Amino acid sequence: MSRRAQPAHTPYDGTATPFTIGLKPLDLVRWLEIDGDYEAYLAEKRRLFDTAPATVFAEEPETRAAQHEVLALVRDGLAAGFPALFPGTRQWEAALAAMERESDTDAPPLKTASLLVQEDLVLMRKGEAGWRLAAASLCFPSSWTLTEKFGRPIEDIHATVPGFGRGTRTAGLINRIFDNLKVEQPVERLNWSLQDDDDLHKPLSKTTRDARREREAAHSTGDDPLLRSFIRVERQTLRKLPVSGDILFTIRIFLDPMRILAAHPDRAALAGSLAAQLAALDAAQLAYKGLAADRERLVAALQKLAAA
């Protein structure tokens, strides 16, 4: 999928720790990211909306006003952040035409906004049970499904993440972060995982994920894990909407073949750090990431690359 010669983000370099919140201030000039895969991402989104719309979009009817807020932010963000591309380019004119068609059919504004950017867009709304997932355009999930999580509060959304479920200290901290987020102080974070293909759409349900874990050892192969592995980086941002008070959660997926590290000028440091982070994962964390079967082989291969 990626046309990049080097990774866009490397949270495995020691600047972030797996299974921690790790938020930092977000520069709104960098809120959205566009790269050479822009048209490919949007084409895949359109394909998913055409073939499996119920799996990639959901909304509570009362969120339409907040969705319009998101669409306005996205349009303004593109024009401000990428003046050479938006407006005035073929992509922008096509997007405007698409928005006009969508408006004629009363399409959800969140869907329209999603078809302008490579990010997925999720609306979180505060209710009696806390912050819940109230609307989402989610084409590129990382081992979860929108149908599993829609309408559920943060604690239940994170129930399968080690150390993040209901009753944990981290769950309480996340709720406080959402409660205290300011319009003028958006934040971002990065995390990573590994996969054995370059699919952006990875909607594994809990049932499927558990079954996969049971089969892991039996499906381990003897080939070089670096040749068939991809690094999946998530860049997540949180912005409080000024009118509705909802929180917009964006998720941007970056997929890089593991072998891209071999050509990186800091390959020794990156490969060594990734190996160390893999080695440090406990059993629950390995199972969540689906790496229990391959961990030792990946660590060995990365250490070899670091020493090359």
Side-chain angles (χ1 to χ4, degrees):
M1 171 64 71
S2 175
R3 299 181 183 180
R4 292 181 299 277
Q6 294 185 4
H9 298 283
T10 57
Y12 42 86
D13 61 3
T15 57
T17 303
F19 296 97
T20 61
I21 297 175
L23 291 173
K24 63 179 182 179
L26 168 65
D27 179 359
L28 285 179
V29 174
R30 297 181 50 257
W31 174 44
L32 302 170
E33 292 196 46
I34 290 178
D35 59 24
D37 298 319
Y38 178 75
E39 292 188 1
Y41 274 56
L42 266 56
E44 178 65 359
K45 284 189 176 187
R46 288 190 291 268
R47 184 189 71 81
L48 290 165
F49 274 115
D50 288 342
T51 60
T55 68
V56 297
F57 187 84
E59 63 173 337
E60 294 178 0
E62 297 79 10
T63 62
R64 283 294 179 97
Q67 292 184 43
H68 279 290
E69 276 190 88
V70 173
L71 178 56
L73 285 177
V74 165
R75 294 182 65 174
D76 291 347
L78 289 173
F82 305 93
L85 295 176
F86 305 102
T89 64
R90 178 171 56 85
Q91 295 98 322
W92 185 252
E93 295 304 322
L96 289 177
M99 283 189 281
E100 291 176 1
R101 290 195 300 271
E102 299 282 10
S103 64
D104 291 339
T105 60
D106 193 34
L110 196 65
K111 174 186 174 184
T112 303
S114 175
L115 291 173
L116 289 172
V117 293
Q118 287 167 265
E119 287 82 358
D120 279 332
L121 307 174
V122 178
L123 268 180
M124 303 295 293
R125 173 163 288 186
K126 183 73 175 288
E128 292 183 2
W131 291 91
R132 70 183 185 279
L133 199 167
S137 175
L138 184 76
C139 292
F140 308 138
S142 300
S143 296
W144 61 287
T145 67
L146 185 54
T147 53
E148 273 186 335
K149 309 297 186 182
F150 181 66
R152 299 176 66 181
I154 290 175
E155 295 92 334
D156 294 341
I157 290 173
H158 291 141
T160 60
V161 184
F164 278 66
R166 185 175 293 276
T168 63
R169 176 182 177 276
T170 305
L173 180 57
I174 291 173
N175 271 292
R176 289 193 294 274
I177 289 170
F178 272 61
D179 286 340
N180 296 323
L181 189 67
K182 307 297 184 185
V183 172
E184 65 276 12
Q185 294 178 339
V187 293
E188 66 177 318
R189 69 183 293 266
L190 296 167
N191 64 26
W192 63 267
S193 59
L194 302 178
Q195 62 188 63
D196 58 4
D197 57 37
D198 62 352
D199 289 345
L200 288 165
H201 185 63
K202 302 291 284 187
L204 289 181
S205 67
K206 181 180 185 300
T207 301
T208 304
R209 189 165 55 243
D210 290 345
R212 181 192 64 180
R213 291 170 185 164
E214 293 175 1
R215 298 193 302 268
E216 276 183 332
H219 284 74
S220 181
T221 61
D223 61 344
D224 184 347
L226 295 189
L227 295 180
R228 59 182 178 82
S229 296
F230 289 78
I231 306 172
R232 185 182 182 98
V233 170
E234 285 191 33
R235 178 176 180 258
Q236 304 170 351
T237 76
L238 292 172
R239 291 188 68 174
K240 187 167 186 177
L241 301 183
V243 178
S244 65
D246 293 344
I247 289 178
L248 173 61
F249 174 45
T250 73
I251 310 167
R252 171 72 154 87
I253 300 298
F254 297 85
L255 275 178
D256 295 304
M258 183 80 82
R259 61 180 179 273
I260 201 172
L261 297 183
H264 198 283
D266 296 324
R267 68 181 183 188
L270 289 177
S273 178
L274 181 52
Q277 291 199 357
L278 274 171
L281 296 178
D282 63 29
Q285 293 167 342
L286 280 172
Y288 178 79
K289 286 184 176 289
L291 296 171
D294 277 346
R295 193 254 294 271
E296 301 305 324
R297 296 170 61 249
L298 282 165
V299 168
L302 285 165
Q303 288 174 338
K304 182 179 179 181
L305 178 60

